[in-house]
Amino acid sequence: MKKQVAGTIMSVDTDGASFLVQQQGSQYSFYNFPVFTGQTPLGSVLSKLREEVGLDVDQLRLFDSVIAELDDEKVALFVFNNLTINDHVRALFAKQGLQFVAGSQLHQLFESVHVNTQPLFEQLSK
C-alpha cells in the first residue's frame, strides 16, 4: 500500500475559521491521496494543488504540519493558509469535490484525527 498524505487550507475571516475538505456522504475528510513516486509528501500536496486543482500555490504558506492518524494509518497532514479565496478559487476546488467548511461544522472530523503531540525525537530516543 502506498503511503498517504493529506492537506487542508485554513481560511480565517470575520465568521471564523474554515477548512478545505472533501465530503463523502454526511462525513467530511481532509483532502488525501497517495504520495507521488519520487516526491516528498509536501511536494506531492503542492503538485496536486498546482497540477490537478489549478491553484497558484505560490500564495500558500505552510501553517503547520503534523503526523496524524487517519483511519488507523499514519499520514503527514499539511495545513496551509494565506490563500485569497474568491469565486474562482472556490470553483477550482469544487471541480475536485473540495469545499471550504466552517470549523464549527467539522467536529466529527477533528475528533477522528488523532495527532501525536510527543516530539518525534523524544520517541526515537526510547
Side-chain angles (χ1 to χ4, degrees):
M1 177 175 209
K2 273 194 107 161
K3 185 174 179 114
Q4 296 283 308
V5 65
T8 188
I9 299 172
M10 178 177 63
S11 174
V12 179
D13 58 21
T14 56
D15 295 328
S18 60
F19 296 85
L20 182 70
V21 294
Q22 52 193 9
Q23 187 172 4
Q24 299 163 336
S26 63
Q27 304 291 317
Y28 292 104
S29 64
F30 290 118
Y31 188 35
N32 62 81
F33 46 88
V35 173
F36 295 151
T37 302
Q39 289 194 10
T40 64
L42 178 58
S44 294
V45 172
L46 293 172
S47 290
K48 187 89 159 174
L49 291 172
R50 180 186 314 106
E51 295 165 15
E52 292 187 25
V53 174
L55 186 67
D56 174 11
V57 296
D58 291 338
Q59 292 185 61
L60 295 177
R61 298 295 172 261
L62 184 60
F63 178 77
D64 200 2
S65 65
V66 295
I67 300 297
E69 194 170 308
L70 304 172
D71 300 324
D72 298 324
E73 182 179 351
K74 290 190 190 279
V75 173
L77 171 62
F78 296 97
V79 181
F80 298 94
N81 66 359
N82 200 51
L83 179 65
T84 301
I85 300 171
N86 55 32
D87 290 340
H88 172 71
V89 168
R90 288 182 195 280
L92 289 175
F93 286 123
K95 287 179 187 175
Q96 298 297 318
L98 301 167
Q99 60 185 316
F100 285 92
V101 175
S104 61
Q105 297 179 27
L106 298 174
H107 294 295
Q108 168 272 330
L109 173 61
F110 294 144
E111 289 175 359
S112 71
V113 176
H114 303 284
V115 178
N116 187 348
T117 57
Q118 186 179 25
L120 176 63
F121 292 115
E122 192 173 309
Q123 291 176 25
L124 294 174
S125 67
K126 293 182 180 185

Short mmCIF file of all heavy atoms in Angstrom, two decimals, residues 31 36 47-55 92 96:
data_model
loop_
_atom_site.label_atom_id
_atom_site.label_comp_id
_atom_site.label_asym_id
_atom_site.label_seq_id
_atom_site.Cartn_x
_atom_site.Cartn_y
_atom_site.Cartn_z
N TYR A 31 -8.41 16.41 2.38
CA TYR A 31 -8.00 16.03 1.03
C TYR A 31 -6.80 15.12 1.17
O TYR A 31 -5.75 15.52 1.67
CB TYR A 31 -7.65 17.31 0.28
CG TYR A 31 -7.38 17.17 -1.19
CD1 TYR A 31 -8.06 16.27 -1.98
CD2 TYR A 31 -6.45 18.01 -1.81
CE1 TYR A 31 -7.82 16.18 -3.34
CE2 TYR A 31 -6.21 17.94 -3.17
CZ TYR A 31 -6.89 17.02 -3.93
OH TYR A 31 -6.65 16.95 -5.28
N PHE A 36 3.17 10.91 -4.32
CA PHE A 36 3.64 10.66 -5.68
C PHE A 36 5.03 10.03 -5.66
O PHE A 36 5.88 10.39 -4.85
CB PHE A 36 3.70 11.96 -6.49
CG PHE A 36 2.36 12.62 -6.71
CD1 PHE A 36 2.27 13.99 -6.87
CD2 PHE A 36 1.19 11.88 -6.78
CE1 PHE A 36 1.05 14.61 -7.09
CE2 PHE A 36 -0.04 12.48 -7.01
CZ PHE A 36 -0.10 13.86 -7.17
N SER A 47 2.14 19.64 -5.64
CA SER A 47 1.95 19.23 -7.04
C SER A 47 0.48 18.98 -7.34
O SER A 47 -0.04 19.39 -8.39
CB SER A 47 2.74 17.95 -7.34
OG SER A 47 4.11 18.20 -7.35
N LYS A 48 -0.20 18.31 -6.44
CA LYS A 48 -1.62 18.00 -6.63
C LYS A 48 -2.43 19.30 -6.72
O LYS A 48 -3.28 19.45 -7.61
CB LYS A 48 -2.11 17.14 -5.47
CG LYS A 48 -3.50 16.61 -5.62
CD LYS A 48 -3.49 15.30 -6.33
CE LYS A 48 -4.76 14.53 -6.05
NZ LYS A 48 -4.82 13.31 -6.85
N LEU A 49 -2.16 20.24 -5.82
CA LEU A 49 -2.88 21.51 -5.84
C LEU A 49 -2.59 22.32 -7.10
O LEU A 49 -3.47 22.94 -7.66
CB LEU A 49 -2.54 22.33 -4.59
CG LEU A 49 -3.07 21.78 -3.26
CD1 LEU A 49 -2.51 22.58 -2.09
CD2 LEU A 49 -4.59 21.78 -3.24
N ARG A 50 -1.36 22.28 -7.55
CA ARG A 50 -0.96 23.05 -8.73
C ARG A 50 -1.47 22.40 -10.01
O ARG A 50 -2.10 23.05 -10.85
CB ARG A 50 0.56 23.19 -8.80
CG ARG A 50 1.05 23.99 -10.00
CD ARG A 50 2.58 24.01 -10.18
NE ARG A 50 3.33 24.27 -8.98
CZ ARG A 50 4.03 23.35 -8.29
NH1 ARG A 50 4.06 22.09 -8.69
NH2 ARG A 50 4.69 23.66 -7.21
N GLU A 51 -1.19 21.10 -10.18
CA GLU A 51 -1.43 20.45 -11.46
C GLU A 51 -2.86 19.95 -11.64
O GLU A 51 -3.40 20.02 -12.74
CB GLU A 51 -0.43 19.30 -11.64
CG GLU A 51 1.01 19.83 -11.74
CD GLU A 51 2.06 18.76 -11.54
OE1 GLU A 51 1.72 17.55 -11.60
OE2 GLU A 51 3.22 19.12 -11.31
N GLU A 52 -3.46 19.41 -10.61
CA GLU A 52 -4.81 18.86 -10.76
C GLU A 52 -5.91 19.86 -10.40
O GLU A 52 -6.94 19.88 -11.03
CB GLU A 52 -4.95 17.58 -9.95
CG GLU A 52 -4.09 16.46 -10.55
CD GLU A 52 -4.32 15.12 -9.89
OE1 GLU A 52 -5.39 14.89 -9.30
OE2 GLU A 52 -3.38 14.30 -9.95
N VAL A 53 -5.65 20.68 -9.37
CA VAL A 53 -6.66 21.67 -8.98
C VAL A 53 -6.51 22.93 -9.81
O VAL A 53 -7.50 23.58 -10.16
CB VAL A 53 -6.55 21.99 -7.47
CG1 VAL A 53 -7.50 23.10 -7.07
CG2 VAL A 53 -6.82 20.72 -6.64
N GLY A 54 -5.27 23.28 -10.17
CA GLY A 54 -5.03 24.50 -10.94
C GLY A 54 -4.80 25.72 -10.07
O GLY A 54 -4.97 26.86 -10.51
N LEU A 55 -4.36 25.50 -8.84
CA LEU A 55 -4.17 26.58 -7.87
C LEU A 55 -2.77 27.17 -8.00
O LEU A 55 -1.79 26.46 -8.23
CB LEU A 55 -4.35 26.02 -6.47
CG LEU A 55 -4.33 27.01 -5.33
CD1 LEU A 55 -5.54 27.94 -5.40
CD2 LEU A 55 -4.31 26.28 -4.00
N LEU A 92 -12.41 26.20 -8.65
CA LEU A 92 -11.32 25.24 -8.89
C LEU A 92 -11.41 24.06 -7.93
O LEU A 92 -11.29 22.90 -8.34
CB LEU A 92 -9.96 25.93 -8.71
CG LEU A 92 -9.53 26.94 -9.76
CD1 LEU A 92 -8.22 27.61 -9.34
CD2 LEU A 92 -9.36 26.27 -11.12
N GLN A 96 -12.88 19.46 -8.05
CA GLN A 96 -12.20 18.30 -7.46
C GLN A 96 -12.98 17.73 -6.28
O GLN A 96 -12.48 16.86 -5.56
CB GLN A 96 -10.80 18.70 -6.99
CG GLN A 96 -9.90 19.18 -8.10
CD GLN A 96 -9.62 18.09 -9.12
OE1 GLN A 96 -9.40 16.94 -8.76
NE2 GLN A 96 -9.63 18.45 -10.38
#
